[in-house]
Amino acid sequence: MANNIPFQPMGNCVVATASTANTQGNVVSINAVSPVNQYLVFNPNKDNPVFVAYGLTDSITAVIPDGNSAAVVAIAPYHERVFTGPQCSSTQTVYVRIISTHNNAQLFITPGEGF
């Protein structure tokens, strides 16, 4: 449940990477020490947004919106954002995949609670 407190990490930070432009990265998995559904996401890339897709199975896809809707969240360059997504825990895994318009795009994702 969302709290009105500063962000409290409740799991390990994972790195999602898309190694080539316009190509989906490998799926990464996220778990937390207790049930949470908020994620602190940081985009360290200096020039381009990164699009992230979350799901409860490892068959998720990430696409760059091109006038059609897409089930992704855009993270602006050099920005961090906390948002609510599927719940993860020590026994429930959430899967993440990213895509970007530039090479070697990365996102750092930490499960937790707060803003």
Side-chain angles (χ1 to χ4, degrees):
M1 179 162 85
N3 290 317
N4 292 325
I5 59 172
F7 187 79
Q8 176 184 4
M10 298 183 74
N12 292 335
C13 179
V14 299
V15 180
T17 303
S19 59
T20 60
N22 300 317
T23 302
Q24 295 186 71
N26 292 330
V27 172
V28 297
S29 58
I30 299 175
N31 292 94
V33 295
S34 65
V36 298
N37 64 342
Q38 289 185 294
Y39 303 89
L40 172 65
V41 179
F42 173 64
N43 178 356
N45 306 288
K46 68 178 188 170
D47 294 322
N48 294 303
V50 175
F51 301 90
V52 58
Y54 288 84
L56 296 175
T57 69
D58 62 0
S59 62
I60 57 171
T61 59
V63 296
I64 297 172
D66 62 357
N68 296 314
S69 64
V72 293
V73 175
I75 308 298
Y78 276 161
H79 277 78
E80 66 181 36
R81 170 168 286 171
V82 175
F83 65 93
T84 302
Q87 188 177 71
C88 71
S89 68
S90 61
T91 59
Q92 175 64 51
T93 301
V94 168
Y95 298 92
V96 176
R97 191 185 299 261
I98 70 168
I99 192 169
S100 182
T101 58
H102 68 290
N103 293 338
N104 300 314
Q106 291 185 318
L107 279 184
F108 296 91
I109 306 162
T110 306
E113 292 183 347
F115 63 92

